[in-house]
Amino acid sequence: MSDSLYPADETPGFDLGEPPAPAKSDAYRVLARKYRPQTFAELIGQDAMVTTLGNAIRRGRLAHAFLLTGVRGVGKTSTARLLAKALNCIGPDGQGGPTINPCGVCEPCVGIAEGRHIDVIEMDAASHTGVDDMRAVIDASRMTAFVARYKIYIIDEVHMLSKNAFNALLKTLEEPAEGVKFVLATTEVNKVPVTVLSRCQRFDLRRIPADLLAEHFARVVAAEGVEAEPEALGLIARAAEGSARDGLSILDQAIAHADMDGGAVSAGAVRDMLGLSDRGAIRDLMMLLLAGDGIGALAALRRQYDLGVDPLGVLRGLLETVHATTLVKLGAQQEAGQATEEREALLDWASSLSFAALHRLWQLLLKGHDEVARAAMPIEACEMALLRLVHASTLPDPGELARMISTGVPLNAAAPAPAAAAAPAAPVASAAAALEEADLPRSISQIVALLEGSGELALASRVVHHASIVSLDGSDLVLSSARPISPDLVAELAITLKRVTGRAWKVTTAPTPGAPTVREAEAAQREAFKAEILATPVIAAALEAFPDAEVPESEIDRLLAAKRSMTA
C-alpha cells in the first residue's frame, strides 16, 4: 500500500509553469551617450588630430603612449575608445589590420564599443589614485593581450594620480611590454608631471566651434524627429562653450521642455530655460546706453531682471556686443547665421564709435561685471554700473581731455549744454586769425577739406565716415543723431573748428535724418560713374560679346580720379 493518499498520476504538483516574462522596457539613453562618436569621421572639430593619427597608423609609426588633453566634452574618452578600435580592428572578414576607419562590426570593435573587451581596460584615476592601484596596472601590463592585437589601458583624468603613483608608472610608460599601449586623458594637463608628458605623444583636442556644434545638433534633432529653430540650436551651441557633451545635455533638456509646448524647440524657450537675455533686448539696452538715456536703460534692465535674467548675464551680453562691434570695425568676418537686425546694428555702431570709445565701454563693462559678481545686491550694483556707463559716454577720452586742458577750453564744452544753462565761454587765444563769415565752410566737404589742410587728418577721416549733416549756418552746425554718433566726435569737432577758424562754433545733434556722409556721397557718385561707363556703347557691346569679361575696379577708380581732376 502506498503511503501517498493520491494515485501516482493524480499527485498534485507544484510546477505552476513558466512565469510570464516581464515586459522589456527600452531604457532611455541621454543624447550625450546615444550620439557618442563611433568613428573618427563622427568626431567633430578635431580634424588635425585625426589626420595625424591616420598617417601614423598607415605608416606603422604608432607611439606606445598617448596623452589626450582638452576641456570637458570635446571627445577625449571617445577618442581613446576609437583609438583602441582602430588598433585592434580585424575587419568584417577577420583579416584586417590597424586602420583609421575601423569597421565597427568585428568582435573587437563591438566589444570595445560595448565596454566589455578583455584587452581594453578603462580606469578612472580619480578613484584609483594610489601607488597600489598603479602597481596592479604595471603587473597586469607585463602580460600580452589575450585575444586582441594590442592590450590598451585607458586612464581617464590622469592628473588625479598621486605623485607616487606617477613615479611608479614612469618606467612602464616609457618601456611597456610588447603589444601594450597606454592612452591617458586629462582636462588639466598642467597638473601632469613633465616626466610623464615627455613619454607620451600629446594631442590637444580643441574646443568645438559653435557653428559646427549647431550643425551637429541639427543632425541630432533630425534623427530624433524633433523640430528646432536654427536660432535655438545656435543659442545652445554658444551656451555649450565648445563642449559637445554639454551641448547635447542642454539639447536634451530643451527637447523635454519643448514637449510641453507643441514639440518644437524654440529660441524663446531656450532663452527662458537657460536664463539668457534676448539679443534684441541687449541691442535695445545698448542703444539706450549710447544715447545717454539713464532712465530708459534702467527700465530695460529691470524688464530683463523681472523675466528671470541674471544681471551678470545682461553684462555678459553687453560685453559680447562691444566685442562684436570692435571686430566689425576691424573688418573681421561676421558670425555666420547672424540675424539681419543684429548685423545692421553692429555695422552702425562700428561706423559711429571710435576705437577709443569701444575700449572705454569694454573697460567700464568689465569693471561692472566684476563688481556685480562680488556684490551683495547684484541688481542694484548692475544699475550703478550702467549709470556709470551712461555718464561716461558723454566724457571726452584722455587724449581729448589733455588737449582741452592745454588749450584752456572748459570741460563742459565737451557736451552740448541745455539751452537755459548755456553761457558764453571765456575768450581763448586762437592759433589762427578769425575767418570772416563769408570765408567759413558751407558744406561738410569743405569742412573736411579745412580739417585736412590744418593737419587734422584723423578727425577729418571720422567726419568723412560718420558725420551726416542736417544744417550748416555760418558756424552753427547740426549733425544727425538718427543713427548713432559718438559724443566725443561732436565735442572734438567744435573745439578743432574753433581753433582752426578762430571763431566759436556751435556743433549740436538732432534726431532728424541728415544728408549722406561724405563717404556715402562718394560711393554713390562712384556707382553712378561706373554705371555710366558700363552703359557706353563700346563697353556694353564688349560685355555682351564676352559675358565673362569685366571692367577692373582699379580702372573705374582711375577714370573717376581723372574726371575729378579735370573738373576741379
Side-chain angles (χ1 to χ4, degrees):
M1 180 177 175
S2 173
D3 294 336
S4 175
L5 300 177
Y6 303 96
D9 56 346
E10 296 181 9
T11 302
F14 295 97
D15 185 3
L16 303 179
E18 291 294 328
K24 273 185 139 180
S25 63
D26 293 330
Y28 176 70
R29 296 177 66 200
V30 296
L31 298 182
R33 292 186 58 195
K34 186 176 181 180
Y35 292 96
R36 183 186 288 272
Q38 297 302 316
T39 66
F40 279 106
E42 296 175 5
L43 192 66
I44 59 175
Q46 313 299 341
D47 296 343
M49 181 198 66
V50 173
T51 300
T52 304
L53 284 176
N55 292 338
I57 291 173
R58 280 189 287 271
R59 295 171 182 172
R61 303 179 65 87
L62 293 170
H64 55 269
F66 302 87
L67 177 68
L68 307 175
T69 179
V71 299
R72 68 194 186 283
V74 293
K76 298 183 295 299
T77 305
S78 295
T79 300
R81 293 174 181 172
L82 290 174
L83 183 58
K85 289 167 65 174
L87 297 182
N88 285 323
C89 178
I90 58 175
D93 58 357
Q95 304 301 314
T99 173
I100 195 64
N101 297 309
C103 66
V105 297
C106 65
E107 177 54 31
C109 285
V110 173
I112 294 170
E114 294 177 355
R116 57 174 174 79
H117 200 285
I118 192 172
D119 288 322
V120 178
I121 302 96
E122 291 190 38
M123 63 176 289
D124 178 19
S127 55
H128 298 81
T129 61
V131 66
D132 291 337
D133 297 309
M134 283 303 102
R135 287 199 184 106
V137 171
I138 293 166
D139 292 341
S141 69
R142 293 194 179 102
M143 295 181 290
T144 58
F146 289 99
V147 294
R149 187 179 296 114
Y150 293 101
K151 176 182 282 189
I152 298 176
Y153 287 90
I154 299 174
I155 306 178
D156 203 6
E157 298 301 339
V158 71
H159 66 274
M160 299 291 287
L161 292 179
S162 66
K163 182 179 179 181
N164 290 336
F166 273 125
N167 290 335
L169 185 63
L170 286 178
K171 185 63 178 176
T172 302
L173 200 60
E174 184 173 14
E175 297 177 1
E178 187 70 24
V180 174
K181 305 288 183 185
F182 285 89
V183 184
L184 314 180
T186 178
T187 54
E188 300 185 43
V189 70
N190 58 303
K191 294 184 179 180
V192 179
V194 67
T195 50
V196 173
L197 296 177
S198 65
R199 289 166 167 80
C200 300
Q201 190 172 92
R202 174 174 168 177
F203 291 96
D204 290 84
L205 278 69
R206 301 178 179 180
R207 289 181 184 271
I208 306 172
D211 55 340
L212 291 182
L213 280 178
E215 292 174 6
H216 179 54
F217 299 156
R219 291 192 292 269
V220 169
V221 294
E224 291 290 308
V226 177
E227 294 183 4
E229 296 177 1
E231 186 181 355
L233 298 180
L235 287 171
I236 295 172
R238 284 190 289 272
E241 296 182 344
S243 169
R245 184 175 62 235
D246 286 9
L248 286 172
S249 297
I250 298 172
L251 180 60
D252 225 338
Q253 184 181 357
I255 292 174
H257 183 77
D259 285 341
M260 306 299 179
D261 187 23
V265 178
S266 65
V270 171
R271 287 194 192 94
D272 292 341
M273 184 185 74
L274 298 177
L276 295 177
S277 181
D278 189 334
R279 293 172 83 93
I282 288 292
R283 289 197 300 273
D284 294 341
L285 178 56
M286 187 73 172
M287 290 178 184
L288 292 168
L289 292 171
L290 293 177
D293 186 353
I295 297 296
L298 293 187
L301 172 63
R302 281 289 177 173
R303 284 195 296 272
Q304 290 294 292
Y305 184 70
D306 292 341
L307 290 172
V309 179
D310 183 27
L312 278 176
V314 175
L315 290 176
R316 277 195 297 269
L318 291 171
L319 281 165
E320 290 174 358
T321 301
V322 172
H323 178 257
T325 302
T326 307
L327 293 183
V328 171
K329 190 171 184 67
L330 280 172
Q333 186 175 3
Q334 291 185 263
E335 182 183 335
Q338 202 171 53
T340 303
E341 297 82 359
E342 184 170 2
R343 188 183 301 272
E344 292 175 352
L346 292 178
L347 287 170
D348 283 343
W349 291 328
S351 64
S352 62
L353 294 171
S354 65
F355 280 113
L358 288 168
H359 295 323
R360 185 166 54 193
L361 285 171
W362 175 265
Q363 292 298 329
L364 289 169
L365 285 168
L366 199 60
K367 178 177 175 58
H369 184 277
D370 293 342
E371 291 175 352
V372 172
R374 302 192 307 266
M377 299 184 294
I379 183 61
E380 287 80 2
C382 187
E383 288 178 339
M384 295 303 293
L386 294 188
L387 286 176
R388 183 168 60 226
L389 203 71
V390 167
H391 293 116
S393 68
T394 61
L395 295 178
D397 59 51
E400 181 58 35
L401 187 62
R403 186 157 54 246
M404 293 164 124
I405 294 173
S406 65
T407 57
V409 176
L411 292 180
N412 57 10
V428 178
S430 176
L435 295 180
E436 297 296 332
E437 184 82 19
D439 297 329
L440 292 175
R442 299 186 178 183
S443 67
I444 196 70
S445 298
Q446 291 182 8
I447 290 177
V448 170
L450 181 64
L451 293 173
E452 290 176 342
S454 303
E456 298 287 343
L457 300 182
L459 179 57
S461 176
R462 294 178 66 193
V463 171
V464 164
H465 286 85
H466 309 311
S468 172
I469 189 170
V470 174
S471 65
L472 175 58
D473 184 8
S475 58
D476 189 354
L477 173 62
V478 181
L479 300 177
S480 173
S481 62
R483 52 186 176 183
I485 183 168
S486 176
D488 61 347
L489 173 60
V490 175
E492 185 175 358
L493 186 57
I495 295 167
T496 305
L497 286 176
K498 179 176 181 177
R499 180 172 54 80
V500 170
T501 64
R503 298 174 64 97
W505 279 72
K506 181 182 178 183
V507 182
T508 58
T509 59
T512 309
T517 64
V518 174
R519 177 61 65 206
E520 291 169 345
E522 289 177 349
Q525 183 185 10
R526 185 185 184 281
E527 288 302 312
F529 181 74
K530 180 179 179 180
E532 181 183 339
I533 292 294
L534 297 179
T536 56
V538 174
I539 299 296
L543 293 176
E544 185 177 356
F546 302 97
D548 294 334
E550 59 181 18
V551 179
E553 296 296 325
S554 58
E555 186 64 15
I556 297 291
D557 293 334
R558 188 188 68 80
L559 293 173
L560 180 58
K563 178 181 178 180
R564 286 173 176 168
S565 64
M566 287 189 296
T567 57

